[in-house]
Amino acid sequence: MNNNFNVSEFIRNLDLNCSKVQKKNFHKGEVITNYITKRNQLCILLSGEADLVRYDFNGNKTIVEHFSSNDIFGEIFYTVTTNNELFVEARANCIVLFFIYDDIKVKCKNNCDFHNKLLINFPELFLNEIIDLNMRIELLSKRTIREKLLSYFKIISTRNMSKSFKIPFSLTDLADYLSIDRSAMMRELKSLKEEGVIEKSGNRITLLVV
């Protein structure tokens, strides 16, 4: 990992200088993109929050990933081999950069030097996405609802460097994200609170036992 690489600065310069980048605004609830058509599209979330969601044949929703500022997403990360449809939906008002992966090796009309930088810094740009995918695998590998909840809480606590934090989901969406039954999750949260493992106030969680 290159500690001197500033992701925010690089993305800002890419937005300002590269003619192959498109910037679009989305309102809360709008679909930003889908993974149905293979365009080798790379998206960078400049501001706001969004979720990658999957709907199965029965219309059941699963939150696959959650994105915040500077996160990268797009169908280049997923090979869709089923009829389940993947959509990225705006959880709040968003500004998104769109870039075609195949254009990375093609000089734009401004002959910008950011394409070379993009190739060099790909590992840095993709690092958070890789970490999030690994976290998702780790969470889904847990066998019980309690294990999934506590593992998720510890991850968010570490990211925020605080034992008290606000989860970025409603409780319904948290259940979807962890692929667990909401009613069973609420019972487990109640048990964790009664046992003195956590404190809970709305979406704010405080870990009392680590």
Side-chain angles (χ1 to χ4, degrees):
M1 182 176 179
N2 180 5
N3 293 324
N4 295 319
F5 178 65
N6 188 314
V7 174
S8 297
E9 182 180 351
F10 175 76
I11 292 173
R12 183 168 57 253
N13 287 333
L14 185 67
D15 173 31
L16 293 174
N17 294 282
C18 181
S19 66
K20 289 185 176 294
V21 171
Q22 288 186 318
K23 182 163 63 176
K24 298 181 181 179
N25 295 278
F26 296 90
H27 295 294
K28 179 180 178 180
E30 282 191 287
V31 173
I32 296 172
T33 188
N34 64 64
Y35 292 3
I36 300 172
T37 305
K38 295 302 292 182
R39 294 156 294 189
N40 280 338
Q41 185 172 254
L42 179 69
C43 306
I44 304 175
L45 187 60
L46 291 185
S47 66
E49 296 182 44
D51 292 330
L52 174 62
V53 299
R54 172 185 284 118
Y55 294 96
D56 64 18
F57 293 110
N58 298 315
N60 298 313
K61 175 183 175 182
T62 299
I63 297 178
V64 181
E65 291 186 75
H66 177 72
F67 305 116
S68 55
S69 295
N70 291 343
D71 281 345
I72 298 175
F73 56 92
E75 65 266 21
I76 64 169
F77 294 107
Y78 285 84
T79 301
V80 181
T81 57
T82 70
N83 289 326
N84 290 341
E85 296 181 351
L86 290 165
F87 298 88
V88 178
E89 298 178 349
R91 177 175 287 275
N93 291 343
C94 296
I95 302 175
V96 183
L97 291 184
F98 292 84
F99 192 85
I100 302 301
Y101 180 83
D102 298 335
D103 286 341
I104 292 171
K105 296 180 180 180
V106 180
K107 284 289 185 179
C108 64
K109 63 183 179 182
N110 290 341
N111 198 31
C112 76
D113 64 347
F114 290 102
H115 289 98
N116 291 331
K117 292 181 180 179
L118 189 61
L119 284 170
I120 294 170
N121 291 301
F122 244 33
E124 305 298 333
L125 289 175
F126 283 6
L127 182 59
N128 286 338
E129 175 66 14
I130 294 169
I131 291 172
D132 286 342
L133 288 173
N134 286 338
M135 181 190 77
R136 176 78 172 153
I137 293 170
E138 175 68 18
L139 288 173
L140 294 180
S141 70
K142 302 300 181 183
R143 293 182 179 275
T144 68
I145 293 175
R146 174 173 289 223
E147 287 177 331
K148 287 184 177 182
L149 284 170
L150 289 178
S151 294
Y152 178 71
F153 292 159
K154 289 175 182 177
I155 289 169
I156 301 301
S157 174
T158 299
R159 286 186 174 182
N160 287 273
M161 294 184 290
S162 173
K163 292 183 179 180
S164 182
F165 50 87
K166 188 175 181 180
I167 58 176
F169 298 113
S170 67
L171 293 178
T172 297
D173 287 344
L174 178 60
D176 288 339
Y177 180 71
L178 296 176
S179 296
I180 54 182
D181 178 76
R182 185 185 186 280
S183 296
M185 183 190 75
M186 296 302 296
R187 290 194 295 270
E188 194 60 62
L189 286 171
K190 182 180 179 182
S191 295
L192 289 170
K193 186 175 180 180
E194 291 175 346
E195 294 170 19
V197 179
I198 66 169
E199 285 184 354
K200 179 181 176 299
S201 177
N203 279 24
R204 179 162 292 279
I205 302 292
T206 301
L207 292 176
L208 302 177
V209 177
V210 180

